[in-house]
């Protein structure tokens, strides 16, 4: 990539909150693709991790741990400007995305984040009811803020790889499936039309199916949680209740499943952590595999986006949707150690950066299943070797996230007064156009695999033999 597209000026201050594994990879892309000077950018972070990168680019650093008590005092002077429009890029943990988003919009700034993050104490309060510790509850807080202040400056919520990019993959994959099953259709332009197309195409559900094969150069040490992205973020979401968008085709409810008080909720949750909930899925490299049913915002937002309702408000169609994640082998080992301890996070955290990784790919896509062609995986198969050539300071996992942040920023600049939007709601084709140069091979693969394929005859199993794509068959009991 010698000639980089330029997406125009960022004419005000750019405030980047957090500078961990994603922040350090996002900064070079922002400087590469926008007309913006390093002196316009301020990074707000609680420590000096990656300070050498900031010094290399000449970007200002403000050392501050944002809290519910101080975030307005710290951020308002940075975001309030008469010179152009500010842009808040929130890549942090332990900060309330909704609170910071509301402040940014109040001051006329654009905003993007990669996840709906809460203030500390949300994930690990044993006294809080399970329903209050779900991503459904976090998403409801975002939707409440949108109802409170409709319209106004654009804020793109949950716009990383997943959640984020995978919602764009779902739409492209759906068009591919509709073509493959011979469905004549007009390309959808509204949410209702997208849901109708998914229903007409026969799609019963969606796995966010991911296999990370990146390997570290040294073995994982006992007492260390090793991951290819934020350890804090992974531990937090892995210890939340497992969640999934719940489809209308499902005939069996897991014994540990719980429904939300709102009967219109598009999702259910399990009374067990996502990192200890396994599901069967399929990716091109590994083929059949186990994944972790870790909660993610897209499991809920995608199911919700493709829901069909009658005039009376009754749901007539909804796909099942959930994450099915096989992280890097060192991360799987780390979870095995953590959950067996029992549930006590390791004292040492290690994120494998591009120099620490020997080889491997992050194969991240969506598996649309249950239609006439059975199942279709569509996604990115990005290797760490290619990542090193494409962009600095990130591994394959990181580049899938940071390039999605870039795409969300481009869309926000081009649609600056769209209000609060989820990744599902913005122009998937434009976002993938921006992002695809950073995703390595982007491929689609049909498969004949189902959750009943290759079952061992040695033990009795709790299955529905007549309906392969029931969650009863997907869940590892």
């Amino acid at each position: 990539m010698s000639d980089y597209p330029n997406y125009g000026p960022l004419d005000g201050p750019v405030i980047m909150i957090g500078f961990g594994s994603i922040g350090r990879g996002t900064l070079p892309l922002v400087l590469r693709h926008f007309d913006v000077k390093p002196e316009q950018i301020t990074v707000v972070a609680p420590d000096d991790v990656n300070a050498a990168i900031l010094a290399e680019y000449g970007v200002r650093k403000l050392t501050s741990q944002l809290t519910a008590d101080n975030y307005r005092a710290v951020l308002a002077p940075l975001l309030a400007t008469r010179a152009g429009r500010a842009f808040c890029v929130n890549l942090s943990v332990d900060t309330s995305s909704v609170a910071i988003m509301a402040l940014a919009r109040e001051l006329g700034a654009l905003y993007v984040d990669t996840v709906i993050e809460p203030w500390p104490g949300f994930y690990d309060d044993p006294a809080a009811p399970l329903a209050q510790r779900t991503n459904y509850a976090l998403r409801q807080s975002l939707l409440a803020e949108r109802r409170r202040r409709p319209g106004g400056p654009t804020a793109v919520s949950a716009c990383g790889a997943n959640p984020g990019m995978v919602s764009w993959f779902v739409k492209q994959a759906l068009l591919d499936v509709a073509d493959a099953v011979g469905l004549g259709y007009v390309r959808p332009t509204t949410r209702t039309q997208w849901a109708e197309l998914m229903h007409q195409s026969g799609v019963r559900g969606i796995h966010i199916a991911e296999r990370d094969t990146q390997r570290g150069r040294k073995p994982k040490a006992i007492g260390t949680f090793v991951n290819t992205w934020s350890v804090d973020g992974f531990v937090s979401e892995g210890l939340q209740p497992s969640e999934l968008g719940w489809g209308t085709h499902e005939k069996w409810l897991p014994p540990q499943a719980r429904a939300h008080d709102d009967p219109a909720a598009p999702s259910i949750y399990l009374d067990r952590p996502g990192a200890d909930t396994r599901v069967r899925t399929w990716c091109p490299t590994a083929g059949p595999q186990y994944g972790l049913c870790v909660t993610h915002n897209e499991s809920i937002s995608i199911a919700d986006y493709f829901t069909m309702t009658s005039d009376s408000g009754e749901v007539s169609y909804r796909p099942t949707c959930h994450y099915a994640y096989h992280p890097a082998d060192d991360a799987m080992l780390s979870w095995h150690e953590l959950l067996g301890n029992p549930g006590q996070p390791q004292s040492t955290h290690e994120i494998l950066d591009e120099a620490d990784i020997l080889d491997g790919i992050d194969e991240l896509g969506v598996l649309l299943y249950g239609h006439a062609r059975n199942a279709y995986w569509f996604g990115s198969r990005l290797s760490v070797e290619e990542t090193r050539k494409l962009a600095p300071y990130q591994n394959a996992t990181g580049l899938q996230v940071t390039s999605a942040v870039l795409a969300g920023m481009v869309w926000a600049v081009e649609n600056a007064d769209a209000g609060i939007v989820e990744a599902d709601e913005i122009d998937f084709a434009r976002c993938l156009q921006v992002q695809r140069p950073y995703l390595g091979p982007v491929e689609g693969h049909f498969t004949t695999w189902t959750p009943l394929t290759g079952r061992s005859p040695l033990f009795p199993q709790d299955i529905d033999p007549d309906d392969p794509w029931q969650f009863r068959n997907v869940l590892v009991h």
Side-chain angles (χ1 to χ4, degrees):
M1 295 177 62
S2 56
D3 296 320
Y4 302 114
N6 184 286
Y7 299 113
L10 298 177
D11 54 4
V14 178
I15 311 306
M16 183 178 292
I17 305 173
F19 202 67
S21 60
I22 302 306
R24 73 187 215 136
T26 300
L27 177 63
L29 298 186
V30 171
L31 289 167
R32 176 182 288 180
H33 289 284
F34 289 106
D35 289 328
V36 60
K37 298 175 182 176
E39 53 265 31
Q40 292 175 243
I41 302 174
T42 300
V43 167
V44 180
D47 52 43
D48 290 325
V49 173
N50 298 314
I53 298 174
L54 293 174
E56 174 190 345
Y57 284 103
V59 168
R60 177 189 174 210
K61 166 74 184 313
L62 175 61
T63 302
S64 178
Q65 174 68 61
L66 297 181
T67 68
D69 295 326
N70 75 0
Y71 78 98
R72 293 186 69 93
V74 173
L75 295 178
L78 301 175
L79 292 169
T81 176
R82 294 182 180 177
R85 193 169 208 173
F87 205 132
C88 181
V89 183
N90 187 359
L91 307 175
S92 62
V93 297
D94 288 338
T95 63
S96 169
S97 305
V98 173
I100 294 173
M101 172 191 297
L103 174 63
R105 284 172 21 91
E106 176 186 319
L107 298 172
L110 301 176
Y111 175 91
V112 68
D113 62 36
T114 60
V115 65
I116 306 174
E117 184 77 7
W119 294 119
F122 176 91
Y123 295 121
D124 54 4
D125 180 2
L130 286 181
Q132 291 183 16
R133 294 197 282 114
T134 61
N135 271 6
Y136 169 81
L138 285 170
R139 181 171 180 260
Q140 288 301 106
S141 69
L142 173 84
L143 298 179
E145 174 62 21
R146 178 158 73 175
R147 289 190 296 271
R148 187 179 75 87
R149 288 192 63 198
T154 297
V156 185
S157 173
C159 189
N162 56 318
M165 172 187 75
V166 293
S167 291
W168 310 330
F169 281 173
V170 166
K171 287 184 174 178
Q172 183 58 62
L174 176 56
L175 296 179
D176 293 350
V177 168
D179 288 337
V181 301
L183 185 66
Y185 64 91
V186 176
R187 189 177 175 118
T189 58
T190 68
R191 178 173 178 166
T192 298
Q193 291 170 355
W194 279 108
E196 290 173 347
L197 180 61
M198 184 169 281
H199 181 235
Q200 293 165 6
S201 298
V203 174
R204 303 177 80 189
I206 302 154
H207 289 177
I208 312 303
E210 180 174 7
R211 180 62 176 258
D212 186 348
T213 66
Q214 293 172 103
R215 298 187 299 154
R217 296 183 184 276
K218 62 180 182 180
K220 187 195 95 63
I222 293 175
T224 300
F225 196 114
V226 179
N227 197 24
T228 54
W229 54 283
S230 170
V231 173
D232 290 330
F234 196 15
V235 170
S236 293
E237 69 183 28
L239 294 179
Q240 284 182 264
S242 180
E243 290 182 84
L244 60 158
W246 195 242
T248 46
H249 76 282
E250 302 288 1
K251 299 181 291 187
W252 171 86
L253 196 66
Q256 293 174 306
R258 303 291 180 263
H260 294 283
D261 291 339
D262 182 359
S267 60
I268 62 171
Y269 63 97
L270 308 184
D271 60 1
R272 60 181 297 133
D276 199 26
T277 304
R278 294 184 298 169
V279 288
R280 295 174 175 86
T281 192
W282 186 93
C283 281
T285 293
Q289 65 178 25
Y290 281 170
L292 304 179
C293 193
V294 173
T295 180
H296 258 206
N297 185 77
E298 77 271 11
S299 300
I300 306 162
S301 70
I302 291 173
D304 192 17
Y305 186 87
F306 289 96
T307 294
M308 293 176 58
T309 57
S310 65
D311 292 338
S312 63
E314 183 177 351
V315 173
S316 58
Y317 168 76
R318 175 184 293 130
T320 292
C321 184
H322 60 83
Y323 201 9
Y325 180 31
H326 191 304
D329 289 350
D330 280 348
M332 287 291 282
L333 266 178
S334 299
W335 272 119
H336 186 73
E337 181 180 67
L338 186 156
L339 293 169
N341 195 15
Q344 297 300 314
Q346 292 89 332
S347 58
T348 303
H349 295 173
E350 182 179 346
I351 300 175
L352 299 176
D353 65 25
E354 66 282 1
D356 300 321
I357 295 174
L358 180 64
D359 57 21
I361 69 173
D362 199 326
E363 190 167 74
L364 171 55
V366 296
L367 184 76
L368 275 60
Y369 60 80
H371 46 81
R373 292 289 302 274
N374 185 54
Y376 178 68
W377 186 96
F378 180 86
S380 163
R381 307 178 72 188
L382 179 62
S383 71
V384 68
E385 292 86 355
E386 185 166 4
T387 299
R388 293 184 182 115
K389 299 175 184 176
L390 291 172
Y393 301 124
Q394 50 205 312
N395 58 30
T397 306
L399 188 53
Q400 289 168 333
V401 176
T402 61
S403 56
V405 174
L406 173 68
M409 291 181 69
V410 171
W411 191 88
V413 168
E414 294 174 349
N415 302 268
D417 294 292
I420 296 173
V421 294
E422 296 184 285
D424 313 85
E425 299 169 314
I426 66 180
D427 186 345
F428 83 100
R430 176 55 171 157
C431 290
L432 288 181
Q433 181 185 42
V434 172
Q435 192 181 10
R436 272 186 93 142
Y438 291 110
L439 294 179
V442 176
E443 302 173 354
H445 296 263
F446 284 98
T447 175
T448 59
W449 175 85
T450 78
L452 295 180
T453 302
R455 292 276 185 146
S456 170
L458 299 178
F459 298 94
Q461 301 187 50
D462 182 10
I463 61 173
D464 183 340
D466 300 319
D467 195 348
W469 288 109
Q470 286 291 312
F471 187 67
R472 183 174 189 168
N473 300 328
V474 173
L475 183 66
V476 179
H477 301 276

